[in-house]
């Protein structure tokens, strides 16, 4: 009797493993199909929900319980949706009020031929810290620095690498970054505590990156450019100093650690009168921009500044809401239990951070975007670390910066395409490589010291 029960248990276990493998293979196939056909991955994510529910039913779980768990984790993640909407409003009004044009016009004048690669990195770091968006930074300061650099005969490969490094420096640690907000929500931590930690771990990679780009500048033979960025933006905006006030409000409130939603709300309220009184926009025009994004009437400027709006955030909101339901379904069905055991075994040999790094590479390759990569990595590695602050750094120093290094991921492909840089620029995105490498070395050294003690 016992042998029969044991044999039956083995059969059930093998069947469950096969069901798990088939389900994950079908899910990956759906994601790949969306990528190949160049459509949104949202249909694949919805298909994933159906697949995971069917897998759960096959392995003996009730639909009602799985759906209940899925909706519970979706509701928990939906808190970040409010922040995403505020980011869409903020990025629109900073464009419309002339805040972004003012910053770009006044910082691009710093670019000099022999330091153009280094300055491309630093200026995009600054812009991404203010906007919290890699895509928005690439579409503004990224295009400006690429245009200035190429006009000085600097290689687009070098410039593209520096720009991609810069746009993800701020995308990682800005208080208005969607990725930073997502990590905060997943780990139930304070965004400003997280930023302090992120800045600490980024110091060494940042310094080395600056040194590398400074050395690369010595290998180039630039000439003086002739593009008048200030004149270009002045033709479409009134670049009065008051246009920078919304950015100053954001920075000041962030420094005093005000709640990020209050911080963004204050910046939004500050930008509205600037749009009306300085840029002479009417309220109907502002309302349309808030929903659909800002669109400049000057075609030449429009290619550099257009964007933002609530509509621009719908895709990322859908990705977060749908994929967050996976957590509840996985908890109920144990779909990832086998993968968790494999990753836990890996962590014993190469540290928790090392296992998280390897997982993030695979997750980024499958997800093809930063948001889902972060969520998949958290799903798979969240149980390895009990300390929430370490969990934050593990995610921020892996999934957040690894995703743009995957050649077929939109995280890196879109910014590079925006600025007209070749895919080879990924090889020179030094900060994105150095951050996880330095963190891995630091972790391994710390683990070795614990063992020796």
């Amino acid at each position: 009797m016992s042998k029969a029960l044991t044999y039956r248990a083995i059969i059930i276990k093998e069947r469950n493993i096969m069901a798990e493998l088939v389900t994950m293979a079908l899910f990956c196939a759906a994601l790949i199909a969306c990528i190949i056909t160049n459509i949104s991955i949202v249909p694949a994510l919805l298909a994933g929900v159906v697949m995971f529910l069917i897998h759960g039913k096959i392995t003996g779980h009730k639909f009602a319980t799985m759906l209940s768990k899925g909706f519970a984790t979706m509701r928990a993640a939906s808190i970040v949706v409010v922040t995403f909407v505020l980011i869409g409003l903020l990025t629109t009004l900073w464009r419309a009020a002339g805040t972004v044009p003012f910053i770009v016009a006044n910082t691009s004048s710093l670019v000099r031929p022999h330091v153009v690669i280094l300055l491309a990195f630093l200026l995009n770091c600054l812009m991404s810290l203010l906007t919290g968006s890699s895509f928005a930074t690439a579409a503004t300061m990224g295009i400006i620095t690429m245009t200035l650099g190429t006009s000085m005969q600097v290689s687009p490969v070098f410039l593209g690498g520096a720009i991609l490094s810069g746009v993800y420096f701020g995308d990682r640690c800005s208080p208005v970054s969607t990725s930073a907000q997502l990590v905060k929500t997943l780990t139930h931590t304070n965004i400003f505590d997280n930023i302090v930690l992120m800045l600490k771990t980024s110091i060494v990679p940042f310094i080395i990156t600056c040194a590398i780009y400074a050395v690369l500048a010595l290998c180039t033979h630039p000439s003086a450019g002739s593009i008048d960025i200030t004149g270009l933006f002045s033709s479409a905006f009134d670049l009065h100093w008051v246009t920078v006030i919304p950015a100053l409000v954001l920075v000041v409130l962030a420094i005093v650690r005000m709640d990020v939603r209050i911080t963004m709300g204050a910046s939004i309220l500050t930008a509205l009168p600037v749009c009306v009184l300085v840029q002479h926009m009417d309220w109907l025009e502002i309302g349309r921009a808030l929903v659909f994004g800002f669109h400049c009437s000057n075609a030449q400027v429009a290619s550099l500044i257009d964007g933002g709006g609530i509509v621009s955030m719908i895709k990322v909101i859908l990705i977060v809401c749908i994929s967050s339901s996976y957590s509840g379904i996985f908890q109920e069905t144990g779909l990832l239990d086998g993968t968790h055991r494999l990753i836990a075994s890996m962590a014993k040999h190469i540290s928790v951070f090392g296992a998280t790094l390897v997982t993030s590479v695979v997750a980024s390759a499958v997800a093809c975007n930063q948001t889902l990569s972060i969520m998949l990595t958290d799903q798979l590695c969240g149980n390895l670390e009990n300390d929430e602050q370490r969990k934050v750094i593990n995610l921020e120093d892996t999934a957040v910066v690894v995703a743009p290094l995957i050649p077929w991921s939109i995280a890196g492909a879109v910014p590079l395409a925006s600025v007209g840089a070749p895919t080879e620029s990924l090889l020179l995105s030094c900060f994105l490589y150095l951050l996880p490498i330095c963190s891995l070395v630091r972790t391994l050294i710390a683990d070795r010291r614990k063992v020796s003690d």
Side-chain angles (χ1 to χ4, degrees), residues 188-221:
H188 309 289
T189 49
N190 180 278
I191 184 68
F192 297 108
D193 291 338
N194 295 349
I195 289 172
V196 171
L197 286 172
M198 286 186 272
L199 290 175
K200 286 181 179 178
T201 62
S202 67
I203 291 174
V204 173
F206 179 82
I207 293 172
I208 298 174
T209 299
C210 289
I212 291 173
Y213 290 145
V215 171
L216 281 178
L218 299 176
C219 302
T220 62
H221 303 283

Side-chain angles (χ1 to χ4, degrees), residues 289-343:
L290 289 173
V291 176
F292 300 104
F294 177 72
H295 299 284
C296 184
S297 57
N298 185 318
Q300 192 175 5
V301 176
S303 63
L304 303 176
I305 204 68
D306 280 7
I310 295 174
V311 171
S312 70
M313 303 305 297
I314 289 177
K315 183 178 177 180
V316 69
I317 288 172
L318 286 173
I319 290 173
V320 170
C321 288
I322 296 170
S323 56
S324 63
S325 69
Y326 293 175
S327 178
I329 298 173
F330 293 161
Q331 287 171 15
E332 176 63 22
T333 63
L335 175 60
L336 297 179
D337 286 353
T339 308
H340 284 148
R341 286 192 293 271
L342 177 63
I343 295 172

